[in-house]
Amino acid sequence: MTPPIAPAGWSRWLVPPAALSVHLSIGQAYAWSVFKPSLESALGLSGTESALPFQLGIVMLGLSAAFGGTLVERNGPRWAMTVALCCFSSGFLLAALGAATRQYWLIVLGYGFVGGIGLGIGYISPVSTLIKWFPDRPGMATGIAIMGFGGGALIASPWSAQMLDTYGNDSDGIALAFLTHGLVYAAFMTLGVLLVRVPPPGYGRSKAADSADPAATGRAADAASVATPQVSARSAIRTPQFWFLWLVLCMNVTAGIGILEKAAPMITDFFATSDTPVTVSAAAGFVALLSAANMAGRIGWSSTSDLIGRKNIYRVYLGVGAVMYLLIALFGDASKPLFVICALVILSFYGGGFATIPAYLKDLFGTYQVGAIHGRLLTAWSTAGVLGPLIVNWVADSQEEAGRSGAGLYGLSFTIMIGLLVVGFVANELVRPVHARHHVPATDIAAATATTAAATTSAPAATSTSASGTTPAPKEAADGR
């Protein structure tokens, strides 16, 4: 399956809605905490056990993105979105069967394993395409591409809570909620599959080229691309820069996901003994607020990175993030506004980190195979998907066994998060430009670009193939154009 090439006059601003239709759907993963209390009461699970589907889903997200990144580059965004649709929706249907039959392993298999593959392929499906459509604004482009994933829970959290109120909090009600999710998201993601387009061969824009001839601006952009350092995916993972960024992403994600995965029960625990305890609906509203901050951070902070630079914005994410965690640990249970504001800031950094990392990769490694490099880097998310929930849930369970309650369940885990953010801060400071020995020779890219352009001109069939990245090995440079 190959996506149609955008015709002459096609507006690049039609591509972001295609990305959002997929990312808003798979972003439901961030609303998993709404299901945790119901699953724990209906199936007799611990907090650690109820987090397992989410954890496995994030692990599979990173692994499928890493192993599927090259396939996405080769087969194009329409293929990737279709695979994501099938896996993500099927995962919900399997989870519904597991809830209906009270077979928890089916929920883990469906939502975590099968649905997680859909998360990973769907997550990276539009990123490379949008970077190619917006070479002049990579931070903004990746922010748009990834914004929907952060905002998915803004819709899914209250929607899921309402379904549980309507269907019931028992296993049958959970099954109906999962079934509804699977069917509705399948229909919504289909919009992205139908709408997505790839730029024509040789496409490129200057900052003021929205109304210019795509072919003319494309030739200028190609020349500029050849003149800048480009690194292949295979070479990138052999550089210290890749692994420093791996640490940066892993630490930032671990810190954010630790709050996000347990958001609803966490705010309830923090103020359980206060004069105004947090209700179930208010906790679901808190999850929705976190989703809004996550989404806003993805477009806001990533766009800011275009102005102040990637290293500087990660200094903010990691340094200020550590301060926010410290404030929650020291004073969070004394003030609801303080707790909520600090959590919102942390989640905005969490989302901003995701949205900025593709542009950071583009700055260091060029546009050549940036999608595949991004996919490999997302193994950091897999690691963080285990670490974050494991740290928070395991510490909370152990503290509860020791007789502690309320905010005392989380003090140790927050201290750990502060330490991890400091590690990420140091890793970011160590990032330097990639050594010239890892660069792909400019002549190789220029030759591949010329060969691909000639093949596109001479054969209509080759046009679709070239644009979707399915060219043979000698022409693989076109993937990063």
Side-chain angles (χ1 to χ4, degrees), residues 116 163 272 436 444:
M163 277 194 283
D444 290 357

Side-chain angles (χ1 to χ4, degrees), residues 64 129 179 184 195 202 213 227 242 244 265 275 277 294 300 305 332 334 338 354 373 395 411 416 418 439 474 480:
S64 60
T129 301
L179 177 63
V184 172
L195 185 61
D213 173 50
F242 177 89
F244 286 143
D275 294 335
N294 188 353
S305 77
L338 177 67
F354 275 124
I373 298 171
V395 169
I416 295 172
I418 293 170
H439 297 172

Side-chain angles (χ1 to χ4, degrees), residues 210-289:
D210 279 1
S211 60
D213 173 50
T217 56
R219 286 189 291 272
D222 285 342
S225 175
V226 171
T228 57
Q230 305 290 324
V231 182
S232 69
R234 180 177 296 180
S235 295
I237 62 173
R238 300 172 182 170
T239 66
Q241 287 83 356
F242 177 89
W243 295 106
F244 286 143
L245 287 189
W246 192 97
L247 271 177
V248 166
L249 183 63
C250 185
M251 299 301 99
N252 193 54
V253 172
T254 300
I257 213 168
I259 286 183
L260 191 59
E261 187 275 335
K262 202 174 174 66
M266 182 182 292
I267 193 171
T268 302
D269 289 337
F270 255 79
F271 300 100
T273 59
S274 69
D275 294 335
T276 55
V278 177
T279 64
V280 173
S281 59
F286 175 63
V287 175
L289 278 177

Side-chain angles (χ1 to χ4, degrees), residues 367-462:
T367 56
Y368 180 68
Q369 297 187 340
V370 66
I373 298 171
H374 183 223
R376 286 160 171 78
L377 193 78
L378 289 182
T379 53
W381 194 355
S382 294
T383 304
V386 174
L387 283 179
L390 180 63
I391 291 170
V392 174
N393 285 288
W394 179 78
V395 169
D397 289 345
S398 63
Q399 295 297 304
E400 187 174 15
E401 291 174 1
R404 293 183 175 84
S405 61
L409 298 174
Y410 303 98
L412 177 58
S413 61
F414 285 3
T415 301
I416 295 172
M417 295 301 180
I418 293 170
L420 294 178
L421 287 169
V422 171
V423 171
F425 189 93
V426 173
N428 183 53
E429 293 303 306
L430 295 175
V431 173
R432 298 290 186 272
V434 178
H435 194 278
R437 69 174 176 271
H438 298 291
H439 297 172
V440 177
T443 52
D444 290 357
I445 297 179
T449 300
T451 302
T452 302
T456 301
T457 303
S458 61

